[in-house]
């Protein structure tokens, strides 16, 4: 137990309160009537108080010595398992970030879910989701970490499938649950290996204070540390296990396909999942166990992160579902974070995680407003349309002015235009990626080049989304000229969260200098000790080059989709089909994995039904026949013999009874007869 700050007990109490309040709200809401509107405000008040406590913890711990308080939980043999709270820059940043993102989502949800038949159940799940994520970021034990990791997955399963009467929602939450179980197997394997190697589950001992993992080395095929040595292959297995967990939770190739389908849940849930909870958990895990990875393993992370970012960006180019475009955008931005971790830009990765949380949450809440109003048009005019299809939209900036303004702010932050927080964090990743590639092979130089090209793809698909939704003419009105339009930005429960998140998506929250990411207070506290700022030309040419070309890309998207006076992209070619069909990965998985597994399942079922059950039924019928034969034998042979013996004894008894009549002369005759018989027998023999 360490007490490095003067008010450790108070800080720990505030941390526990911040984590426990959403759980208390969840339990209260569980007891309320299913349509009770009180549930929304119970959850909102809990997360508001949690924000206050989180801010107090953040202010006390940020840039100070880590706080670590633990107590013994249980003992297995001679192994003592401890449970406690670990507060350092990473954990308090996530504690505050999750609370800050959850607050506007809760406020927004009170209006967005107002007419849902399971209103209180929604907030029960939402509060439990927040509790799970908040617990995940502060626990100090890998055992507890895994428990909360599972709770995050379980609560997301509940929320993705919240509208369980829709078959797509049911399929989506099953897909998310199954794919995350693959990652969970990897994480569990890594935890077991780490415990077997270092004999502790304590995160501080492994990665922070004692840093046992960092001090271990791989030499001559052995993983060597003060606690002993084991074959180095186990270190590789542990890293693969951690990556599987990261890939599943943070939707990285090849375990990314669940995230776009998760859009079947309420849009407010999507905002929370994509901003600071579930998908952030994978990057947070990587930040926690970062010393476990060697340089070569980090390079593999960089390659996968770069490929995921590029692949998801190309898919987002052609999607017409509003939320699906944002989902692939999230996958792409998470790819940037993994790439940053791989090239050693630890601080930039976490910086981008923080900035991305605000503008991505903002964009999803904007999508929620747009979809809500399109749904209203659909129901009011009895139309058969998909309210999420951007092909039906256009010109909505006139009807939804506030939504349009904040959408532009969020989009500029996502593209990485100056004066936004996204510019600061994304440029940091690009610059450090190019610095990392210096002196490396030509193949590895493709990583920063791919990241740079992906940033321009991002500018295009985001601009396409904005212009198709908010610019031009309302295309649905062209198709149905007689429809009535009664739409607006909504009440204060919509407006306040949007404005708050838009403000947080600008540079002042993170830095007073809007152009140099090195000056951001968050980056300065998370950057590695050996970081040297602005030491080469990359710090100048990359921001200028990226943003100048991004402006041209934005204008090109506007010209193509609004002015329509330039070329349009063919929608029949190979690359279009590849993008529109999401690189055919879902189809490949269905044919190569799902169908064979289902076929194996059917084969096993047939084998179980016809062979195993048939054998059991044969044994059962044989047993019954043997039993029947045994019963007949018992009844007719054994019992018959017994009955025969009984009848014989009875006959002998009846015969003998005749000699017992009380007359002496008969006894004398009998004795004489017996003597004669014996005499005759004696003579004959």
């Amino acid at each position: 137990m360490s007490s490095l700050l003067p008010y450790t007990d108070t800080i720990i109490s505030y941390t526990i309160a911040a984590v426990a309040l959403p759980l208390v709200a969840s339990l209260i809401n569980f007891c309320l009537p299913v349509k009770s509107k009180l549930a929304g405000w119970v959850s909102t008040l809990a997360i508001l108080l949690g924000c206050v406590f989180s801010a107090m913890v953040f202010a006390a711990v940020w840039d100070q010595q880590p706080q670590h308080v633990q107590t013994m939980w249980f003992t297995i043999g001679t192994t003592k398992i401890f449970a406690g709270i670990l507060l350092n820059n990473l954990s308090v940043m996530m504690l505050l970030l999750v609370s800050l993102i959850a607050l506007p989502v809760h406020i927004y949800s009170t209006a967005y879910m107002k007419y849902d038949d399971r209103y209180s159940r929604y907030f029960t799940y939402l509060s439990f989701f927040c509790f799970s994520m908040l617990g995940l970021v502060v626990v100090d034990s890998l055992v507890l970490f895994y428990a909360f990791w599972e709770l995050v997955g379980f609560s997301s399963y509940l929320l993705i499938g919240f509208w369980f009467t829709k078959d797509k929602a049911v399929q989506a939450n099953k897909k998310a649950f199954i794919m995350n179980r693959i990652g969970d197997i990897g994480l569990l394997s890594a935890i077991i290996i780490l415990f077997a190697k270092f004999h502790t589950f304590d995160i501080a001992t492994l990665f922070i204070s004692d840093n046992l993992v960092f001090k271990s080395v791989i030499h001559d095929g052995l993983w060597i540390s003060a606690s002993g040595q084991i074959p180095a292959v186990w270190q590789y297995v542990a890293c693969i296990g951690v990556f599987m967990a990261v890939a599943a939770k943070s939707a990285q190739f090849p375990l990314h396909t669940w995230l776009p389908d998760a859009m079947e849940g309420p849009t407010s849930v999507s905002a929370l999942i994509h901003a600071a909870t579930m998908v952030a958990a994978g990057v947070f895990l990587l930040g926690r166990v970062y010393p476990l990875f060697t340089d070569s393993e980090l390079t593999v992370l960089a390659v996968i992160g770069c490929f995921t970012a590029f692949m998801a960006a190309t898919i987002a180019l052609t999607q017409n579902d509003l939320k699906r475009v944002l989902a692939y955008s999230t996958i792409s931005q998470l790819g940037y974070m993994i790439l940053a971790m791989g090239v050693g830009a630890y601080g930039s990765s976490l910086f981008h995680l923080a900035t991305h949380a605000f503008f991505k949450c903002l964009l999803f809440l904007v999508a929620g407003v747009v979809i809500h109003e399109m749904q209203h048009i659909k129901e009011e005019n009895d139309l058969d349309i998909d309210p999420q299809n951007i092909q039906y939209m256009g010109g909505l900036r006139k009807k939804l002015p506030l939504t349009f303004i904040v959408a532009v702010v969020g989009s500029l932050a996502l593209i990485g235009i100056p004066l936004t927080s996204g510019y600061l964090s994304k440029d940091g990743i690009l610059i450090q990626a190019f610095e990392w590639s210096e002196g490396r092979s030509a193949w590895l130089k493709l990583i920063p080049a791919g990241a740079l090209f992906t940033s321009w793809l991002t500018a295009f698909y985001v601009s396409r989304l904005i212009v198709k939704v908010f610019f031009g003419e309302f295309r649905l009105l062209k198709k149905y000229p007689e429809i009535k339009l009664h739409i607006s930005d909504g009440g204060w429960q919509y407006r306040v969260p949007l404005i708050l998140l838009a403000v947080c998506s600008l540079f002042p929250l993170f830095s007073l200098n809007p152009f140099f990411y090195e000056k951001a207070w968050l980056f300065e506290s998370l950057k590695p000790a050996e970081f040297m700022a602005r030491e080469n030309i990359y710090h100048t040419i990359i921001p200028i080059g990226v943003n100048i070309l991004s402006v041209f890309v934005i204008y090109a998207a506007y010209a193509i989709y609004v002015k329509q006076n330039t070329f349009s992209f063919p929608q029949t070619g190979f690359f279009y089909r590849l993008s529109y069909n999401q690189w055919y990965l879902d189809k490949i998985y269905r044919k190569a994995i799902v169908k064979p597994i289902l076929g194996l399942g059917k084969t096993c079922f047939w084998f179980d039904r016809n062979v195993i059950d048939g054998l059991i039924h044969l044994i059962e019928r044989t047993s019954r026949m043997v039993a029947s034969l045994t019963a007949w034998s018992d009844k007719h042979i054994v019992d018959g013999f017994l009955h025969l013996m009984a009848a014989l004894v009875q006959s002998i008894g009846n015969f003998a009874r005749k000699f017992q009549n009380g007359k002496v002369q008969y006894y004398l005759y009998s004795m004489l007869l017996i003597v004669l018989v014996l005499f005759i027998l004696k003579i004959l023999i």
Side-chain angles (χ1 to χ4, degrees):
M1 183 181 198
S2 61
S3 298
L4 301 175
L5 292 181
Y7 306 109
T8 297
D9 291 342
T10 303
I11 294 169
I12 298 302
S13 298
Y14 288 166
T15 304
I16 294 172
V19 173
L21 279 168
L23 176 62
V24 173
S26 180
L27 295 174
I28 292 173
N29 290 340
F30 183 76
C31 299
L32 292 175
V34 72
K35 293 185 179 182
S36 174
K37 296 300 183 284
L38 179 62
W41 298 112
V42 169
S43 291
T44 304
L45 178 61
I47 206 67
L48 175 61
L49 293 174
C51 270
V52 174
F53 286 123
S54 299
M56 296 169 73
V57 172
F58 182 86
V61 177
W62 186 255
D63 274 348
Q64 303 296 323
Q65 288 296 316
Q67 287 293 288
H68 185 201
V69 176
Q70 61 180 191
T71 184
M72 201 186 65
W73 189 9
F74 59 89
T75 303
I76 301 177
T78 58
T79 303
K80 296 180 179 180
I81 309 299
F82 292 87
I85 290 175
L86 173 62
L87 301 176
N88 63 353
N89 278 358
L90 176 58
S91 54
V92 297
M93 181 197 82
M94 289 300 298
L95 183 70
L96 182 59
L97 183 65
V98 173
S99 300
L100 283 177
I101 294 299
L103 179 59
V105 171
H106 276 72
I107 297 172
Y108 182 95
S109 296
T110 57
Y112 191 77
M113 301 297 292
K114 184 177 180 180
Y115 299 106
D116 196 274
D117 291 336
R118 301 170 65 245
Y119 184 86
S120 68
R121 192 55 52 85
Y122 168 83
F123 280 99
T124 300
Y125 296 163
L126 193 64
S127 291
F128 188 73
F129 192 23
C130 293
F131 158 72
S132 302
M133 188 64 195
L134 290 168
L136 178 77
V137 302
V138 299
V139 294
D140 75 329
S141 165
L142 288 175
V143 175
L144 277 175
F145 186 95
Y146 188 77
F148 279 103
W149 181 272
E150 289 297 312
L151 289 178
V152 168
F154 172 67
S155 49
S156 67
Y157 168 82
L158 295 175
L159 287 167
I160 293 169
F162 181 75
W163 287 324
F164 57 83
T165 53
K166 295 166 54 180
D167 182 64
K168 285 186 177 180
V170 174
Q171 297 303 322
N173 75 343
K174 285 197 296 185
K175 185 176 183 179
F177 191 80
I178 292 170
M179 295 195 79
N180 274 277
R181 294 296 72 73
I182 297 172
D184 295 348
I185 292 171
L187 178 58
L188 182 60
S189 302
I191 291 173
I192 292 170
I193 291 170
L194 287 171
F195 179 76
K197 170 65 177 159
F198 298 102
H199 313 300
T200 181
F201 291 111
D202 186 28
I203 294 173
T205 303
L206 289 169
F207 302 107
I208 301 175
S209 56
D210 296 339
N211 212 349
L212 295 180
V213 173
F214 180 75
K215 293 176 182 177
S216 65
V217 295
I218 295 177
H219 182 69
D220 288 338
L222 295 174
W223 188 12
I224 305 170
S225 69
S227 60
Q229 59 187 33
I230 60 175
V233 66
W234 292 112
Q235 191 272 344
Y236 307 144
V237 174
C239 286
I240 292 170
V242 170
F243 172 73
M244 286 173 60
V246 172
K249 272 288 192 292
S250 291
Q252 295 297 286
F253 177 83
L255 300 177
H256 66 283
T257 57
W258 67 268
L259 190 59
D261 291 349
M263 298 300 96
E264 295 300 330
T267 305
S268 48
V269 169
S270 302
L272 196 55
I273 288 177
H274 286 250
T277 52
M278 187 164 178
V279 297
V283 180
F284 174 77
L285 168 63
L286 202 52
R288 269 288 194 236
V289 304
Y290 194 66
L292 176 64
F293 289 83
T294 63
D295 288 343
S296 58
E297 290 160 351
L298 289 175
T299 300
V300 173
L301 281 183
V303 171
I304 294 174
C306 180
F307 175 76
T308 303
F310 171 75
M311 175 196 64
T314 61
I315 294 173
L317 292 172
T318 59
Q319 302 304 304
N320 293 318
D321 186 299
L322 177 55
K323 289 172 66 176
R324 213 169 184 84
V325 175
L326 295 178
Y328 278 108
S329 169
T330 299
I331 296 172
S332 183
Q333 297 305 305
L334 289 165
Y336 272 108
M337 298 173 206
I338 303 301
L339 182 156
M341 287 286 187
V343 300
Y346 178 89
S348 289
S349 177
L350 296 174
F351 184 22
H352 195 54
L353 173 65
T355 60
H356 175 264
F358 289 104
F359 58 74
K360 186 50 63 68
C361 184
L362 171 62
L363 289 173
F364 266 104
L365 296 189
V366 164
V369 172
V370 172
I371 293 168
H372 183 270
E373 298 307 312
M374 291 295 292
Q375 181 69 28
H376 178 70
I377 294 173
K378 174 184 176 180
E379 293 174 353
E380 185 180 23
N381 297 278
D382 194 25
L383 302 177
D384 183 20
I385 62 168
D386 178 6
Q388 296 182 193
N389 192 332
I390 60 176
Q391 301 285 50
Y392 292 119
M393 303 174 192
L396 291 178
R397 72 185 189 282
K398 301 171 185 176
K399 297 289 185 179
L400 309 173
L402 176 64
T403 305
F404 166 66
I405 292 171
V406 298
V408 170
V409 172
S411 299
L412 293 177
L414 178 54
I415 295 170
I417 297 298
L419 306 183
T420 66
S421 61
Y423 165 81
L424 295 171
S425 59
K426 184 182 285 188
D427 270 17
I429 294 174
L430 293 175
I431 291 168
Q432 290 174 84
F434 274 96
E435 291 175 339
W436 169 85
S437 68
E438 284 293 310
R440 298 180 185 267
S441 68
W443 288 108
L444 293 181
K445 290 183 186 297
L446 291 176
I447 293 176
L452 187 63
F453 183 68
T454 301
S455 69
W456 293 322
L457 292 179
T458 302
F460 186 84
Y461 72 70
V462 172
S463 301
R464 171 182 177 266
L465 178 69
I466 293 299
V467 298
K468 286 181 79 72
V469 172
F470 292 104
F471 287 88
E473 297 182 5
F474 190 40
R475 286 177 288 278
L476 190 62
L477 197 59
K478 283 186 175 182
K479 188 173 182 179
Y480 303 100
E482 71 285 355
I483 61 174
K484 301 174 183 178
L485 300 179
H486 300 107
I487 59 176
S488 68
D489 288 309
W492 70 269
Q493 291 138 294
Y494 288 123
R495 294 169 181 264
V496 170
L498 293 178
I499 294 172
L500 174 64
L501 291 168
V503 171
C504 292
S505 298
L506 299 174
F507 73 92
L509 180 64
F510 297 96
S511 175
L512 295 179
N513 188 325
F515 301 110
F516 296 163
Y517 74 93
E518 306 95 325
K519 301 298 182 181
W521 59 268
L522 194 152
F523 176 79
E524 286 185 332
S525 298
L526 294 172
K527 68 185 179 184
E530 66 275 10
F531 176 79
M532 295 181 64
R534 312 199 70 77
E535 61 180 358
N536 53 50
I537 197 172
Y538 290 130
H539 291 260
T540 302
I541 63 171
I542 290 177
I544 293 174
V546 167
N547 287 286
I548 288 176
L549 193 52
S550 291
V551 170
F552 281 109
V553 170
I554 292 170
Y555 178 77
Y558 177 79
I560 292 170
Y561 294 108
V562 178
K563 289 188 174 183
Q564 297 179 346
N565 60 356
T566 61
F567 72 94
S568 59
F569 296 105
Q571 299 189 1
T572 55
F574 169 76
F575 290 109
Y576 174 82
R577 292 196 302 271
L578 183 68
S579 171
Y580 186 77
N581 291 289
Q582 300 141 54
W583 284 44
Y584 298 99
L585 288 173
D586 263 328
K587 293 181 179 179
I588 292 171
Y589 288 168
R590 278 197 294 270
K591 289 184 178 180
I593 300 175
V594 177
K595 281 191 175 180
I597 290 176
L598 290 177
L600 178 62
K602 290 178 180 178
T603 302
C604 291
F605 176 76
W606 179 90
F607 185 81
D608 178 71
R609 190 74 176 267
N610 295 280
V611 179
I612 296 178
D613 285 357
L615 179 62
I616 292 172
H617 293 157
L618 176 62
I619 294 171
E620 177 256 342
R621 286 193 292 269
T622 304
S623 299
R624 290 177 63 182
M625 290 174 62
V626 170
S628 299
L629 181 61
T630 303
W632 182 89
S633 174
D634 180 70
K635 183 176 181 179
H636 295 89
I637 298 177
V638 178
D639 287 357
F641 178 74
L642 292 175
H643 293 158
L644 176 62
M645 294 299 295
L648 182 60
V649 170
Q650 185 181 21
S651 299
I652 294 172
N654 290 335
F655 176 76
R657 192 183 303 118
K658 295 178 181 180
F659 298 100
Q660 302 293 327
N661 54 12
K663 296 180 179 180
V664 177
Q665 56 271 32
Y666 283 104
Y667 299 156
L668 293 174
Y669 295 151
S670 299
M671 292 174 63
L672 179 61
L673 180 61
I674 291 170
V675 170
L676 288 174
V677 169
L678 292 174
F679 181 74
I680 293 170
L681 289 174
K682 180 67 175 175
I683 294 173
L684 292 176
I685 296 173

